[in-house]
């Protein structure tokens, strides 16, 4: 079972990025670097940082999740899925969120499947969404 804790800047130094997604992000990297933001680190049972995730508050009642995937995440797919599902439920129940969204790199097919499995619905494509001007698919859940 994976463990979670509040992210510290040091965790960013210890995550080994997934080769397939080294520059992948779901929102602005600048927000990730601030440990006062709502973010958690996920650890394998051996203590290795396998992901860092959190939410950015876009406007009142609306947040966007982001994830930095590390190597080894595929060895903990089910626990990772449960953790992210729990994060989604947490923001709705305790943070007053009514709209939750994620941006998936449009060419990352596994990401689209993952978003749908989490119960999110495809909304639209954002052209040139990130700093590298790549297109992203926006998935949402509204309560």
């Amino acid at each position: 079972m994976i463990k979670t804790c509040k992210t510290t800047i040091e965790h960013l130094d210890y995550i080994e990025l997934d080769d397939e997604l080294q520059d992948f992000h779901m929102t602005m990297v600048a927000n990730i670097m601030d440990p006062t933001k709502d973010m958690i680190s996920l650890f394998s049972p051996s203590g290795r940082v396998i992901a860092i995730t959190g939410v950015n508050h876009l406007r009142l009642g609306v947040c966007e999740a982001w994830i930095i995937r590390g190597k080894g995440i595929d060895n903990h797919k089910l626990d990772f899925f449960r953790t992210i599902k729990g994060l989604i439920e947490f923001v709705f129940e305790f943070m007053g969120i009514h709209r939750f969204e994620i941006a998936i790199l449009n060419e990352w097919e596994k990401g689209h499947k993952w978003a749908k499995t989490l119960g999110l619905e495809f909304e639209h494509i954002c052209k040139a969404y990130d700093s590298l001007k790549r297109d992203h698919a926006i998935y949402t859940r509204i309560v």
Side-chain angles (χ1 to χ4, degrees):
M1 171 152 277
I2 60 176
K3 302 172 197 167
T4 62
C5 75
K6 184 165 177 53
T7 298
T8 66
I9 292 297
E10 293 78 27
H11 295 169
L12 295 168
D13 293 334
Y14 297 117
I15 190 167
E16 295 177 58
L17 296 177
D18 187 322
D19 292 335
E20 170 186 341
L21 300 168
Q22 283 200 16
D23 57 358
F24 173 71
H25 57 83
M26 291 185 174
T27 191
M28 301 171 290
V29 172
N31 287 335
I32 296 169
M33 303 307 289
D34 183 349
T36 64
K37 301 288 183 188
D38 296 317
M39 48 200 266
I40 58 172
S41 296
L42 288 67
F43 294 86
S44 68
S46 65
R48 182 176 173 192
V49 180
I50 56 173
I52 299 174
T53 185
V55 294
N56 289 330
H57 301 271
L58 302 177
R59 53 197 170 275
L60 188 61
V62 180
C63 74
E64 177 182 55
W66 54 266
I67 298 169
I68 300 174
R69 291 174 30 118
K71 290 182 179 179
I73 197 79
D74 288 338
N75 298 330
H76 305 282
K77 285 181 187 177
L78 185 56
D79 285 336
F80 177 66
F81 178 82
R82 287 179 181 154
T83 301
I84 299 305
K85 186 83 169 158
L87 174 67
I88 293 170
E89 297 309 318
F90 178 84
V91 299
F92 283 120
E93 189 171 339
F94 297 105
M95 296 176 73
I97 299 297
H98 66 270
R99 177 185 169 90
F100 177 88
E101 58 186 62
I102 61 173
I104 301 288
L105 188 61
N106 201 36
E107 62 239 20
W108 186 39
E109 291 188 28
K110 286 181 185 177
H112 293 273
K113 182 179 176 183
W114 181 72
K116 291 174 187 173
T117 303
L118 284 167
L120 304 172
E121 293 184 25
F122 172 78
E123 190 169 83
H124 63 276
I125 300 290
C126 280
K127 298 289 186 185
Y129 183 76
D130 64 16
S131 61
L132 299 176
K133 299 190 178 182
R134 296 175 296 181
D135 297 346
H136 284 66
I138 303 300
Y139 285 85
T140 62
R141 180 171 157 201
I142 300 170
V143 295

